[in-house]
Amino acid sequence: MLELQPMDRRGYFNLPQRPEGAGYYTYGTPPNGAGQYAHPKLLSLLFLVEHQWQGIDSRKIGFGNISLADGTPYSEHKSHRSGKDVDVRLLRKDKMESAVTRFDTHYDRDATAQLIRIFFEFSFVQVIFFNDPTIPRIRPLIRHDDHFHVTIK
């Protein structure tokens, strides 16, 4: 029997965790996807970006905090209640799937900028917050040196 992804009372599905052959991995708090309930439009965006990224790079994209089930308040993520926000890890030169800051030598600025450009190709991306001033169209925000934050309309 086909098992469906968990769904909350808003009708938002949980981002699939560790799907076979996916071009992304998941991280965040709380663990095991409990903070990855997404609006259907955001899920579509993540899958579209993943698909495009797989065509140009073998590294996986790290998708982090989105929303707790039912929009429950997040203690340190006040904007992550609507299911329309996602944190995305910066890409690393060493291809590891772990956190890196924009100040680290393993940070791949060019690849991260290319990934951000792919997100911006979709008109329903409202804003991307990240603190690397060399990347166009993004806006800085405190505590956004180790990931970028995408908000959709």
Side-chain angles (χ1 to χ4, degrees), residues 5-6 14-18 26-37 65:
Q5 284 303 111
N14 185 252
L15 179 67
Q17 305 293 297
R18 297 172 288 285
T26 58
Y27 74 95
T29 57
N32 302 317
Q36 293 184 315
Y37 283 84
N65 295 333

Side-chain angles (χ1 to χ4, degrees), residues 5-6 12-19 24-27 32-38 42-44 46-47 50 61-67 86-87:
Q5 284 303 111
Y12 292 7
F13 286 97
N14 185 252
L15 179 67
Q17 305 293 297
R18 297 172 288 285
Y24 71 91
Y25 65 94
T26 58
Y27 74 95
N32 302 317
Q36 293 184 315
Y37 283 84
L42 180 62
L43 277 179
S44 295
L46 298 181
F47 298 144
E50 171 206 15
I61 304 166
F63 294 138
N65 295 333
I66 299 172
S67 172
V86 62
D87 290 337

Side-chain angles (χ1 to χ4, degrees), residues 24-120:
Y24 71 91
Y25 65 94
T26 58
Y27 74 95
T29 57
N32 302 317
Q36 293 184 315
Y37 283 84
H39 185 282
K41 192 183 250 186
L42 180 62
L43 277 179
S44 295
L45 173 67
L46 298 181
F47 298 144
L48 289 166
V49 168
E50 171 206 15
H51 180 72
Q52 284 194 26
W53 183 253
Q54 283 183 307
I56 59 172
D57 200 298
S58 63
R59 288 175 282 188
K60 292 186 177 189
I61 304 166
F63 294 138
N65 295 333
I66 299 172
S67 172
L68 295 171
D70 306 319
T72 303
Y74 240 131
S75 60
E76 293 185 25
H77 294 88
K78 292 180 181 167
S79 65
H80 288 266
R81 292 191 63 192
S82 68
K84 295 180 180 180
D85 301 274
V86 62
D87 290 337
V88 181
R89 276 208 173 137
L90 310 181
L91 291 155
R92 299 175 58 105
K93 293 177 183 175
D94 60 9
K95 301 184 180 185
M96 298 287 293
E97 295 176 2
S98 57
V100 64
T101 72
R102 67 186 180 97
F103 305 108
D104 193 307
T105 58
H106 294 294
Y107 167 51
D108 191 334
R109 174 176 284 116
D110 292 338
T112 299
Q114 187 170 18
L115 180 58
I116 288 171
R117 278 193 300 274
I118 291 171
F119 272 96
F120 274 127

